Amino acid sequence: KTKANIQAAVPTADTTAVVAAPPVDTAKKEEVAVDSFPIQKIKPSLRPDESVETTLLRERTPLAYEHLRADDAVYRQRIWREIDTREKINQTFTYAANEDNGNQRFISIILQTLQDSTKGITAFSSIDDRFTTPMTKAEIIKGVVGDPVEVPDYDSLGNLIGTKKKNNDINLDSFYKFHIKEEVVFDKESSRLFWRILGIAPVKNIYNSQGLYLGESELFWVYYPDMRPIFASYEVYNGKNFGSRMSWDDLFESRMFSGRIIKCSMDNPTDQAIKNIKTLEDNKMLQLFEGEAIKQKIFTYEQDQWSY
């Protein structure tokens, strides 16, 4: 028998599991949030704020898609649309009321969903529209409000003591355009045309430091099938009758919106958007007509499948 001195092991920190937060310069009071979206928090009502019971309606789940076999899909096209909420038919996207589940603007619904980590919705970078690069909350916030700006910092006597960084204010009404990626499929087994939305991307206007408009940019993409349970729990504003309000999932599946075609896989071997076609670059009206022509081609194909 031998005696050995056994010393307790010293625990070591797992440096790969925890990433330290960046230090905050307290001298300049740079307190820029990177884990919370700059959207207004809506207080829930402490009493029933409606005369009918709608709890079950808000807990509904969307119907599963009908399975489409690849062998039965005799016609498939990819289509990208732009929804402009300033059009009268799309004004429901900008409904600005506050309810227990938050603000009812469509952009606010998406941001609230991404803010809540328990819902498991991922935003993907707009470097492509194939959902390849997930984004963090900090990256989303930077895209929504831009880089923090330095503003003067004064003491209680009004003396300038330095500068501090502050996030820009967010105006939800400034997000009035959305891009939708979808696929149209003609299924020979059921003899009908299916429209399946794949992704939705909010569009942001880009300005330089002098306030000059530079163009538009997609903020991020969300995968539409992942968002369907969320959309089913939010109701769409109906100014004519509150008793017949549909869910957002119903609105998209019923095609109760208007969007112009901005890109299509039909006769497009270079994978170019309509606005980048050389003969259409400087003419918005011709771009609109080209999108309407694509829509007519799809309609004509569907009608030609019928025989009388």
Side-chain angles (χ1 to χ4, degrees):
K1 294 182 180 181
T2 59
K3 294 182 179 181
N5 294 327
I6 301 176
Q7 298 179 353
V10 178
T12 58
D14 187 358
T15 57
T16 61
V18 179
V19 179
V24 177
D25 188 355
T26 56
K28 294 185 178 182
K29 300 181 180 179
E30 297 177 355
E31 298 179 358
V32 181
V34 296
D35 60 348
S36 179
F37 288 82
I39 54 178
Q40 181 184 4
K41 294 183 179 180
I42 307 302
K43 294 182 179 180
S45 176
L46 302 180
R47 296 292 185 274
D49 193 31
E50 49 198 1
S51 57
V52 296
E53 179 60 41
T54 60
T55 303
L56 294 178
L57 296 178
R58 299 182 185 278
E59 295 177 354
R60 55 193 166 190
T61 57
L63 295 176
Y65 278 145
E66 180 180 344
H67 177 67
L68 300 178
R69 295 178 63 248
D71 293 339
D72 294 333
V74 296
Y75 181 81
R76 293 174 57 193
Q77 293 291 348
R78 290 281 178 89
I79 293 177
W80 289 258
R81 295 180 184 269
E82 181 179 83
I83 296 178
D84 193 332
T85 60
R86 295 173 296 181
E87 297 183 25
K88 189 172 183 179
I89 190 175
N90 297 327
Q91 286 183 347
T92 54
F93 284 78
T94 60
Y95 181 47
N98 295 327
E99 298 184 8
D100 285 352
N101 55 356
N103 187 267
Q104 299 303 298
R105 293 181 178 89
F106 186 69
I107 181 63
S108 179
I109 294 174
I110 295 178
L111 293 179
Q112 291 174 48
T113 303
L114 296 176
Q115 169 72 13
D116 189 354
S117 303
T118 61
K119 296 182 179 179
I121 303 299
T122 302
F124 295 90
S125 175
S126 59
I127 58 175
D128 57 43
D129 51 23
R130 297 185 297 106
F131 318 105
T132 59
T133 309
M135 298 177 64
T136 63
K137 285 186 180 181
E139 292 173 339
I140 299 173
I141 294 171
K142 183 178 179 180
V144 172
V145 300
D147 294 324
V149 295
E150 290 192 357
V151 296
D153 189 17
Y154 300 92
D155 59 11
S156 59
L157 300 178
N159 299 320
L160 180 64
I161 59 176
T163 60
K164 62 180 180 180
K165 287 188 176 181
K166 180 181 178 182
N167 279 329
N168 295 316
D169 295 332
I170 180 175
N171 181 12
L172 295 178
D173 291 326
S174 64
F175 301 93
Y176 53 83
K177 286 186 179 181
F178 298 88
H179 288 174
I180 287 184
K181 178 184 177 182
E182 58 186 356
E183 191 170 55
V184 55
V185 180
F186 186 85
D187 182 55
K188 68 178 182 180
E189 191 272 335
S190 57
S191 297
R192 57 168 294 196
L193 203 68
F194 289 90
W195 294 87
R196 295 287 171 84
I197 300 176
L198 301 177
I200 300 177
V203 178
K204 179 183 179 181
N205 294 325
I206 305 299
Y207 298 89
N208 62 8
S209 58
Q210 288 76 30
L212 182 63
Y213 176 72
L214 301 179
E216 299 175 343
S217 175
E218 297 168 349
L219 285 178
F220 51 80
W221 283 91
V222 291
Y223 189 55
Y224 176 75
D226 292 343
M227 292 291 295
R228 287 190 67 204
I230 308 299
F231 290 154
S233 62
Y234 284 86
E235 292 184 339
V236 179
Y237 170 71
N238 183 356
K240 303 299 182 182
N241 184 5
F242 266 36
S244 61
R245 295 168 69 177
M246 66 174 66
S247 68
W248 279 103
D249 181 66
D250 296 334
L251 178 138
F252 284 114
E253 297 304 320
S254 302
R255 313 293 297 177
M256 298 291 290
F257 62 90
S258 175
R260 67 181 185 92
I261 297 178
I262 58 176
K263 182 180 176 182
C264 182
S265 59
M266 183 188 306
D267 299 328
N268 188 11
T270 57
D271 195 32
Q272 294 290 330
I274 293 178
K275 66 179 181 180
N276 295 330
I277 299 177
K278 290 185 178 180
T279 56
L280 306 177
E281 285 180 341
D282 300 325
N283 196 318
K284 299 289 185 179
M285 188 61 68
L286 291 182
Q287 295 174 16
L288 180 62
F289 288 159
E290 180 66 20
E292 292 297 319
I294 294 173
K295 186 187 303 183
Q296 184 63 34
K297 289 179 182 179
I298 297 174
F299 175 80
T300 302
Y301 176 87
E302 180 186 18
Q303 296 300 309
D304 289 345
Q305 303 305 310
W306 294 89
S307 60
Y308 299 95

